[in-house]
Amino acid sequence: MDNKPYRSLNEYYREIFGRKTAKISLDGGFTCPNRDGTCGTRGCLFCSAGGSGDFAENAALSITEQIKNGKAQTSDKWKDPAYVAYFQAFTNTYAPVEELRRKYEEALSCPDIEGISIATRADCLPEDVLDLLSELNGKTKLWVELGLQTADEESAKFIRRGYPLRVFEKAVRDLAERNIPVIVHVILGLPGENRETILKTIDCVNHLPVQGIKLQLLHVLSDSDLAEIYEAGNYTPLTKEEYIALVGDCIAHLREDIVIHRLTGDGDKNTLLAPLWSLRKRDVLNSLHKYLKENKIRQGMSVKN
């Protein structure tokens, strides 16, 4: 037990694998329907040129080589960790099934890979892909990560998510029917959203059969369309204090069994325009835990039935 007032990822992984676990971020060389013209060409408003995979390995390398490089980066941090292959960049179910199968199975064939996490869009889970995921789920520990970002339909249109809430809800239920754990991505600080909007998103998550959540601060990256809005003075990022208070609210309103996979995220220091305080991730997490302790906040304390 790590004695945190929420269900932490570290504790969850130790329950599953019995030891420290590291995720290796991979770039499978996929694209996205919001990039290739299917539903758009510019991506989501906040998305970087790297398709939210700025810290993934080099797509020019094979999956095996990427995993080898990722393991090398953790070799001096932890002794004998378990590894989860994390297909992170762009949309990782957006390809013919046989291509997906080849890349997933290559990852799982690498030494010490004990699970696989696949980030994708809710509108990219056709029946044949769901069948493949179900097959994988019978072989290894599998998680599917879906980008909800917000449950507010107007906000979703503004950020160019590309599909309505009902599509997301169906995707979650399709995965749940196959006993595939779902991790939901939620962004705090979207333009026009406030505490009430964000807690409505948390309430939406609470009422879906999901197992995990990632809370992500909205970063303004120089290679995103959001940068133009920010530089024109039409978007003000959250302050550190505002973000910490919102995360505290989210934890308090989040169903107790949901694992919190992320409390804040990393922005690429080479492209991050704002908020620059987010670069001091350790300071942010320390301040957050102090805030939770001082305000006696624990996960689920304010959940509405």
Side-chain angles (χ1 to χ4, degrees):
M1 296 291 290
D2 53 20
N3 296 318
K4 291 186 171 66
Y6 55 85
R7 186 145 166 67
S8 73
L9 180 60
N10 182 59
E11 178 184 344
Y12 174 61
Y13 275 158
R14 287 190 180 277
E15 290 172 3
I16 295 173
F17 300 116
R19 63 193 191 279
K20 180 67 181 180
T21 302
K23 290 176 76 173
I24 299 176
S25 295
L26 306 174
D27 188 330
F30 304 110
T31 183
C32 171
N34 213 356
R35 296 276 187 175
D36 69 2
T38 301
C39 67
T41 57
R42 294 160 62 193
C44 292
L45 188 73
F46 53 81
C47 197
S48 69
S52 298
D54 299 303
F55 298 100
E57 296 294 328
N58 189 340
L61 301 176
S62 70
I63 298 299
T64 300
E65 291 171 319
Q66 290 185 48
I67 288 174
K68 183 179 179 181
N69 288 350
K71 289 171 67 176
Q73 293 177 24
T74 63
S75 61
D76 59 348
K77 293 182 181 179
W78 306 299
K79 182 180 180 181
D80 190 33
Y83 288 99
V84 171
Y86 177 25
F87 283 85
Q88 181 182 28
F90 294 101
T91 304
N92 293 281
T93 59
Y94 192 52
V97 165
E98 288 312 309
E99 180 182 349
L100 298 176
R101 181 190 300 277
R102 185 178 73 254
K103 291 183 178 180
Y104 298 161
E105 291 188 347
E106 181 180 353
L108 291 172
S109 70
C110 293
D112 305 315
I113 296 296
E114 299 191 27
I116 184 170
S117 197
I118 299 169
T120 190
R121 291 169 57 92
D123 57 352
C124 292
L125 290 168
E127 199 69 23
D128 57 348
V129 171
L130 288 168
D131 288 343
L132 172 60
L133 294 175
S134 184
E135 180 185 328
L136 281 177
N137 196 40
K139 296 178 180 179
T140 188
K141 294 293 183 183
L142 169 68
W143 296 266
V144 172
E145 305 194 17
L146 296 179
L148 171 62
Q149 321 310 0
T150 177
D152 185 85
E153 297 283 24
E154 291 305 311
S155 288
K157 290 177 184 176
F158 183 76
I159 65 173
R160 305 196 302 258
R161 186 177 67 194
Y163 53 82
L165 181 60
R166 66 177 181 275
V167 172
F168 178 86
E169 292 172 331
K170 181 181 184 301
V172 171
R173 294 191 173 102
D174 285 344
L175 291 164
E177 286 176 3
R178 294 162 173 81
N179 296 313
I180 297 172
V182 175
I183 303 166
V184 181
H185 291 220
V186 171
I187 294 180
L188 307 188
L190 291 173
E193 293 208 345
N194 55 27
R195 179 180 182 272
E196 181 182 7
T197 319
I198 292 165
L199 292 183
K200 284 182 178 178
T201 295
I202 297 300
D203 189 52
C204 173
V205 172
N206 282 341
H207 287 86
L208 289 170
V210 306
Q211 290 70 42
I213 190 170
K214 286 185 173 180
L215 300 174
Q216 169 70 51
L217 168 68
L218 181 61
H219 290 130
V220 182
L221 303 174
S222 61
D223 52 356
S224 71
D225 285 355
L226 179 61
E228 295 181 17
I229 298 173
Y230 170 72
E231 291 175 333
N234 295 320
Y235 172 65
T236 302
L238 294 174
T239 66
K240 175 183 163 183
E241 292 72 23
E242 288 171 334
Y243 183 72
I244 286 173
L246 280 173
V247 172
D249 283 333
C250 289
I251 291 172
H253 286 80
L254 188 67
R255 217 174 63 216
E256 284 185 282
D257 63 290
I258 295 176
V259 178
I260 299 179
H261 287 242
R262 179 186 291 161
L263 289 166
T264 186
D266 297 299
D268 183 352
K269 63 182 180 181
N270 296 310
T271 60
L272 181 69
L273 297 179
L276 295 178
W277 58 260
S278 66
L279 291 171
R280 301 184 297 276
K281 186 174 180 179
R282 177 51 52 190
D283 173 66
V284 174
L285 291 174
N286 287 340
S287 297
L288 172 63
H289 288 122
K290 180 181 179 183
Y291 177 86
L292 297 177
K293 184 176 181 180
E294 289 177 347
N295 290 277
K296 298 181 172 58
I297 293 172
R298 57 177 175 77
Q299 186 173 343
M301 63 185 290
S302 301
V303 171
K304 295 179 181 178
N305 295 323

